[in-house]
Amino acid sequence: MPEEFTRRQGVVTAATQDKIKEFVNAGGTVVYIGDVTMAAAQAFNLPVTNHLEGLGQDKFYVPGSVLRMTVDPNDPVAHGMNKEMDVFFDNDPVFKLGADAAAKGVRPVGWFATDDPLRSGWAWGGANLKDGVAMIDATVGAGKVYLFGPQITFRAQPHGTFKFLFNSIFYGTATPSQQ
């Protein structure tokens, strides 16, 4: 990358990560999409690992395909979504939740429920996705961290997945009604 553009990469240093953690713990909301999600899970000490750990391209490779995902429509970030939906997937992160995830405020929002989630494109080793979590809603301190492995904002695909982004932004800033 040319030197004059490197400052625009959005690199998170230890100092900025500390500020992000402080923001979330105080009630802020942070949304991570794509490749940065696993690093975010580690930074916030979430009980999350890589569901596809150890699988090389000879065992798993899904370059730019549409996959079927199951969604928890009761999660506020999935408000208005169907129980199943298609997402654009380009070798994106897939998570495995630890046994203590629910106790630590980490919930799956979307996951691959079948061993054949392919809807369009091609997938080498797609069966490895079964039971992998694609989207996570985590309560951290007084705030929220959302991890979206699939590219929910990629090209035309957001027509089907943009609600995840906007719901997470709106829900993160929502206040309880005073009834």
Side-chain angles (χ1 to χ4, degrees):
M1 176 173 282
E3 183 64 34
E4 66 266 22
F5 299 119
T6 57
R7 71 182 193 285
R8 297 180 187 174
Q9 284 184 287
V11 175
V12 177
T13 65
T16 57
Q17 186 60 50
D18 288 343
K19 292 292 185 187
I20 293 170
K21 286 181 187 178
E22 185 180 310
F23 170 74
V24 171
N25 280 307
T29 298
V30 179
V31 178
Y32 294 93
I33 301 169
D35 292 336
V36 300
T37 55
M38 195 57 71
Q42 291 171 351
F44 283 96
N45 297 316
L46 301 179
V48 174
T49 57
N50 181 353
H51 180 73
L52 302 171
E53 185 70 38
L55 296 178
Q57 287 185 354
D58 60 326
K59 302 256 191 262
F60 180 81
Y61 187 63
V62 182
S65 297
V66 177
L67 304 179
R68 174 60 49 104
M69 178 180 72
T70 300
V71 175
D72 176 3
N74 296 315
D75 191 295
V77 99
H79 177 75
M81 307 297 277
N82 293 326
K83 190 167 179 141
E84 288 188 323
M85 65 172 310
D86 295 336
V87 293
F88 181 77
F89 188 93
D90 187 9
N91 290 315
D92 296 316
V94 179
F95 314 104
K96 180 178 180 179
L97 300 184
D100 59 345
K104 291 187 174 182
V106 178
R107 302 178 330 168
V109 175
W111 59 92
F112 299 107
T114 72
D115 61 358
D116 186 19
L118 184 66
R119 302 280 288 165
S120 178
W122 65 276
W124 182 262
N128 291 303
L129 289 167
K130 185 167 180 9
D131 299 325
V133 176
M135 300 177 177
I136 292 174
D137 173 341
T139 300
V140 177
K144 286 288 196 177
V145 173
Y146 295 106
L147 306 178
F148 299 110
Q151 301 293 327
I152 62 169
T153 59
F154 184 76
R155 295 187 185 161
Q157 186 58 29
H159 182 72
T161 56
F162 73 93
K163 285 182 184 178
F164 287 118
L165 176 63
F166 291 111
N167 284 348
S168 60
I169 293 168
F170 290 134
Y171 180 66
T173 60
T175 57
S177 66
Q178 305 295 324
Q179 297 183 1

